[in-house]
Amino acid sequence: MDISFEWASILTELRKDHHLTQEEVANILHISRQVYGAMEKGRIQPSAIRIAILSDIYNVDLFEYAVSNLPDEYVAEKQVFKSSLTQKRVENVIQKSRRGKRKTHRGRRTSSKRTQDK
């Protein structure tokens, strides 16, 4: 599924609501006014870091806002994907935990003692 989220109208609306110029927002983001203007026109998508900075400036969770505006079928697909990732992480943690127990059980600590005795 190809989903592209347009930040252009959101960025423009938030900037105007906060009575800021493109130049002021660009300075906060450490980019040129032209680059920020391109973001507001939709020619450039903002990076995750810039979205996080703007979330802080505007005191709004732009990530949550973006997710809440995605099509329902994408959100359902995302939940299935996140569930599978969570299950894989749990399985990895269990496997690492089991490996760790075997290492200490086989006397890993005693091997370091042997090198100290030499």
Side-chain angles (χ1 to χ4, degrees):
M1 177 180 283
D2 182 30
I3 297 289
S4 63
F5 188 81
E6 287 296 323
W7 289 100
S9 60
I10 297 167
L11 297 177
T12 305
E13 182 182 330
L14 285 170
R15 179 182 58 77
K16 288 180 178 181
D17 286 350
H18 287 80
H19 309 288
L20 295 169
T21 66
Q22 285 185 345
E23 186 74 34
E24 290 170 322
V25 177
N27 287 336
I28 292 167
L29 297 173
H30 301 287
I31 58 177
S32 70
R33 190 213 45 84
Q34 290 82 1
V35 170
Y36 183 76
M39 282 185 211
E40 282 195 0
K41 288 182 178 156
R43 288 183 290 183
I44 298 174
Q45 295 294 313
S47 67
I49 291 170
R50 289 191 178 119
I51 293 169
I53 292 168
L54 292 169
S55 292
D56 188 47
I57 292 167
Y58 298 136
N59 198 30
V60 68
D61 186 345
L62 290 173
F63 290 107
E64 187 60 38
Y65 182 86
V67 169
S68 69
N69 286 291
L70 290 172
D72 290 339
E73 64 273 7
Y74 178 77
V75 174
E77 186 178 303
K78 182 187 78 140
Q79 292 302 331
V80 170
F81 180 71
K82 282 179 77 173
S83 295
S84 70
L85 283 180
T86 302
Q87 182 60 35
K88 287 177 185 175
R89 286 184 189 133
V90 168
E91 290 169 2
N92 286 340
V93 168
I94 290 170
Q95 287 176 354
K96 286 179 182 177
S97 172
R98 288 179 181 157
R99 278 188 237 134
K101 286 180 183 177
R102 277 189 239 136
K103 286 179 183 175
T104 56
H105 178 68
R106 291 184 180 166
R108 193 169 221 350
R109 291 185 183 152
T110 57
S111 64
S112 63
K113 245 185 174 180
R114 287 182 202 145
T115 56
Q116 288 175 356
D117 292 339
K118 290 182 181 180

